[in-house]
Amino acid sequence: MNHADLHTLTGAYALHALSDTERAAFERHLADCVACAQETAELTATAARLGLAVSVTPRPVLREQVLHRITTVRQESPRGPVLPGTGRTPTARRHPLSRWVLAACLAVAAGLGGTAVWQHQRAEDALEQARQAERSADGVAAVLAAPDARTGSAKLADGATGTVVVSAARNRAVFLASGMAHPPRGKVYQLWFDDGGTMRSAGLMDTGRVDQAVLMSGTVDGASGMGITVEPAGGSDQPTSAPVALMPLPA
C-alpha cells in the first residue's frame, strides 16, 4: 500500500471497514496527516449525526451490499493522470461534494436509512452542530481547569445539586447539574446571569439529560449571581416564570 492509497481510506476507517493490516497502516499515517485526521473526524461525526434524520428502516441486506461496494470502489487518488504533452498533472482539487455523498453512504452502511440522509444541507448542519459541541466541550474544560477557578454549590429541588464554576481570568462560567428533573413537555431550563437584579440570558440546558455541564453563554462581567427558570422551548428574552434556583457566583 503506497502513500497515495492511504489518503483514500478515510471513509472506510470511519466505518471500521478496514482489515487489521490496513487499519494499522492508516493509523500510523493518520498521526502525521492533518488533512486525513480532519476528514476522518468529520465523516465519523457526520455519520453519527445523520442518524437523527432516519425515517425508514433499511433492508437487512443493504449493509452487506454497501460494505461489498466499499471493497471494490475506491475514492479518486489525490494525484490525477499526467496531461498529454505537458508532463504535468492536473491541479489537485479536494471535492467536498463527494465527501458528503460518502458520509451518506457511511450512515446507510452503519444501519441507518431514510431519504433525508442524502440531503446535502442536512449533512452541513450536522457537521456544524458537531463543531459547536466540540467548541462547547473545550470551553467547559478551559474554565474547570483554570488556575483561578472558584466553585459554589447549592441543593436544588427533588434532591438535585447545582454547581457553578467561575474563572475571572477567562470571564466565563460553567454550570454543572446533577440529578436534575426533566422539565415539563415543551419547556426548557434557561440559565441567567444576575446583573444587580437584572437577569441576562446565559443559555439553555439540554432537556434530555439530568446530569450535564453547560458553558454559560456570554461573559460573567459584573454578575453577582445566577438563576434557572422554566421557559418555553427555544428560551425567552426575559424570565417568564419564578426561578427554580438562585445561586450567588463564587467570589
Side-chain angles (χ1 to χ4, degrees):
M1 183 180 301
N2 59 42
H3 187 72
D5 286 336
L6 290 171
H7 286 292
T8 68
L9 297 182
T10 54
Y13 181 78
L15 185 60
H16 306 289
L18 297 177
S19 67
D20 292 342
T21 301
E22 288 175 323
R23 184 175 65 253
F26 182 74
E27 287 177 346
R28 289 193 296 270
H29 166 75
L30 200 62
D32 298 319
C33 183
V34 176
C36 284
Q38 179 178 349
E39 186 164 294
T40 299
E42 290 177 348
L43 288 173
T44 301
T46 300
R49 294 294 301 176
L50 285 173
L52 299 178
V54 174
S55 59
V56 178
T57 301
R59 295 173 292 115
V61 72
L62 184 58
R63 182 176 184 275
E64 286 69 25
Q65 291 175 341
V66 174
L67 287 175
H68 175 71
R69 291 295 303 275
I70 287 175
T71 65
T72 59
V73 179
R74 306 190 73 87
Q75 298 181 56
E76 182 181 348
S77 173
R79 290 182 58 85
V82 175
L83 293 173
T86 66
R88 295 182 293 104
T89 59
T91 302
R93 179 175 69 88
R94 297 187 69 84
H95 33 87
L97 179 59
S98 64
R99 184 171 63 188
W100 302 129
V101 175
L102 175 59
C105 290
L106 292 178
V108 174
L112 308 176
T115 57
V117 170
W118 303 92
Q119 295 177 358
H120 175 70
Q121 185 60 49
R122 184 63 64 91
E124 288 184 331
D125 293 344
L127 268 180
E128 180 56 29
Q129 291 176 18
R131 292 188 182 110
Q132 290 177 359
E134 184 177 2
R135 288 193 294 268
S136 177
D138 290 343
V140 168
V143 172
L144 298 183
D148 68 331
R150 298 292 183 269
T151 302
S153 297
K155 291 293 184 181
L156 308 180
D158 300 322
T161 301
T163 300
V164 59
V165 182
V166 176
S167 168
R170 293 186 174 275
N171 203 18
R172 299 301 300 270
V174 168
F175 179 70
L176 302 101
S178 177
M180 199 163 182
H182 295 292
R185 183 180 297 274
K187 301 289 186 177
V188 63
Y189 288 122
Q190 186 163 354
L191 304 176
W192 306 88
F193 281 120
D194 183 357
D195 294 330
T198 300
M199 305 305 283
R200 168 167 51 97
S201 178
L204 306 178
M205 298 180 65
D206 187 337
T207 58
R209 301 176 60 186
V210 297
D211 301 323
Q212 56 187 293
V214 183
L215 179 65
M216 298 179 68
S217 300
T219 56
V220 176
D221 291 333
S224 59
M226 62 157 292
I228 308 172
T229 60
V230 177
E231 302 295 334
S236 303
D237 292 333
Q238 293 294 324
T240 63
S241 65
V244 297
L246 290 172
M247 298 174 58
L249 295 184

